[in-house]
Amino acid sequence: MKLLPLNQKKLLKVKTTKSQGDDHLTTSKGHFPEHIAIIMDGNGRWAKAHHRPRAFGHKAGMDNVKTLTKAASRMGVKVLTLYAFSTENWKRPTDEVNYLMQLPIDFFNTFIPELMAENVKVNVMGFLEELPEKTRKVTYQAMADTADNDGMILNFALNYGSRAEITAAVQQIGREVANQELAPDAINEETISQHLMTTSLGALADPDLLIRTSGELRLSNFLLWQLAYSELYFSDAYWPDFSAEELADAIAVFQGRDRRFGGLTTEKK
Ligand code: FPP
């Protein structure tokens, strides 16, 4: 894939809001993707290609999270959601799971000063109560430390699975109906969204752009509700090699797409 030069000025210039003020003109060509979600895949294959253990790939993956966080923040991304550990990843060998649970600790212990300097606010979503205590504590501390930052939101999905998220939302809605706090007929799409783990992101809850690295073409139980109208971008690069230049490339591809949300383009109207 041809890499475009990282041209932050150009990207910032075309940044606009989603609102068009006219509901049936739903095209968003040229818009900047305010919320980008990434399935960071390929750490293991990257390590294998370098004749190193899988943990080496995860460490390189963590280092690339730092690089891409700064790049995305400087490009003007408002929310960067990163799939760091899925509810299915517990099936991996214990050593690898332990290493992956140590990564957030290493990441936040070394990166909080730069997150503060970049004005980045950390959010962590997932079934956090199931994390080892040390991992859980460091994630809550990172959220507390950066709570007053009002720049980009760095949103980690940690012990996250979309079907489990939707199931928990349905259970909670069921409880509210049983308690007569909610009438079944009053349940609408907004109700569902408000019960998902992305609800704190408000109007930015749904990613504009999903990127998956390493050449795999799957969603892997990631944000199944929220990705309903997202643009998809697949890269052959393993996550540790996915560069800021390719992020800019993905954004440029996004900006060339015509998102119609089921409506018509302005040209066809
Ligand atoms: C998938 O690659 C990647 C993961 C399961 C872990 C992703 C985690 C990081 C990139 C680091 C996270 C950093 C922080 C700060 C929490 P894989 O292991 O499935 O690769 P493979 O498909 O090539 O084996």
Side-chain angles (χ1 to χ4, degrees):
M1 184 172 293
K2 188 176 167 291
L3 296 187
L4 298 178
L6 180 58
N7 186 340
Q8 297 177 0
K9 278 199 185 116
K10 185 172 144 213
L11 291 169
L12 287 171
K13 210 164 68 187
V14 293
K15 192 169 60 155
T16 59
T17 62
K18 261 184 231 168
S19 169
Q20 298 291 294
D22 191 343
D23 280 352
H24 57 273
L25 301 183
T26 48
T27 187
S28 65
K29 208 165 175 173
H31 277 200
F32 190 86
E34 295 182 322
H35 181 173
I36 299 180
I38 307 183
I39 301 176
M40 308 181 288
D41 198 7
N43 293 346
R45 279 163 286 165
W46 184 90
K48 196 171 177 194
H50 289 78
H51 310 289
R52 301 297 297 268
R54 291 179 61 80
F56 185 72
H58 293 314
K59 162 78 171 66
M62 181 191 79
D63 291 340
N64 203 34
V65 169
K66 294 180 178 178
T67 305
L68 269 284
T69 296
K70 284 191 279 189
S73 161
R74 291 170 191 187
M75 287 176 197
V77 173
K78 290 191 174 162
V79 180
L80 181 67
T81 296
L82 301 177
Y83 205 5
F85 191 90
S86 79
T87 46
E88 288 72 36
N89 286 151
W90 296 107
K91 293 179 202 154
R92 295 188 177 207
T94 309
D95 280 359
E96 183 167 346
V97 168
N98 289 344
Y99 192 82
L100 288 168
M101 285 298 133
Q102 179 62 33
L103 278 182
I105 301 171
D106 296 347
F107 179 81
F108 290 123
N109 280 346
T110 53
F111 200 50
I112 285 286
E114 279 178 83
L115 291 172
M116 296 304 291
E118 296 284 333
N119 192 25
V120 169
K121 179 174 180 161
V122 172
N123 189 55
V124 186
M125 63 174 194
F127 296 92
L128 305 188
E129 64 286 354
E130 293 167 11
L131 295 174
E133 196 191 341
K134 273 170 81 177
T135 311
R136 194 173 58 241
K137 266 178 93 172
V138 83
T139 61
Y140 281 117
Q141 190 59 49
M143 288 191 269
D145 288 347
T146 61
D148 293 335
N149 292 349
D150 60 3
M152 187 182 83
I153 297 172
L154 174 60
N155 183 36
F156 281 108
L158 195 58
N159 194 25
Y160 172 85
S162 186
R163 287 184 172 185
E165 174 195 36
I166 292 169
T167 304
V170 172
Q171 287 173 346
Q172 179 56 25
I173 290 169
R175 280 190 284 272
E176 289 170 28
V177 169
N179 294 339
Q180 299 189 331
E181 293 157 19
L182 187 61
D185 289 345
I187 298 170
N188 55 25
E189 293 184 9
E190 193 62 26
T191 317
I192 312 281
S193 292
Q194 283 167 355
H195 286 78
L196 298 177
M197 292 172 178
T198 42
T199 185
S200 66
L201 300 171
L204 295 173
D206 297 343
D208 299 299
L209 171 64
L210 171 81
I211 296 171
R212 182 172 189 147
T213 61
S214 90
E216 305 291 350
L217 309 177
R218 290 187 292 278
L219 294 182
S220 298
N221 201 18
F222 190 45
L223 301 172
L224 300 179
W225 173 276
Q226 296 90 334
L227 292 174
Y229 282 102
S230 308
E231 292 296 322
L232 310 181
Y233 177 93
F234 297 100
S235 165
D236 286 335
Y238 296 143
W239 170 250
D241 287 334
F242 186 80
S243 61
E245 286 76 10
E246 195 170 354
L247 177 64
D249 195 9
I251 292 171
V253 168
F254 172 91
Q255 291 180 311
R257 300 231 185 124
D258 187 12
R259 296 177 85 197
R260 297 188 293 277
F261 302 94
L264 300 178
T265 63
T266 43
E267 294 85 31
K268 286 185 191 147
K269 217 189 104 239

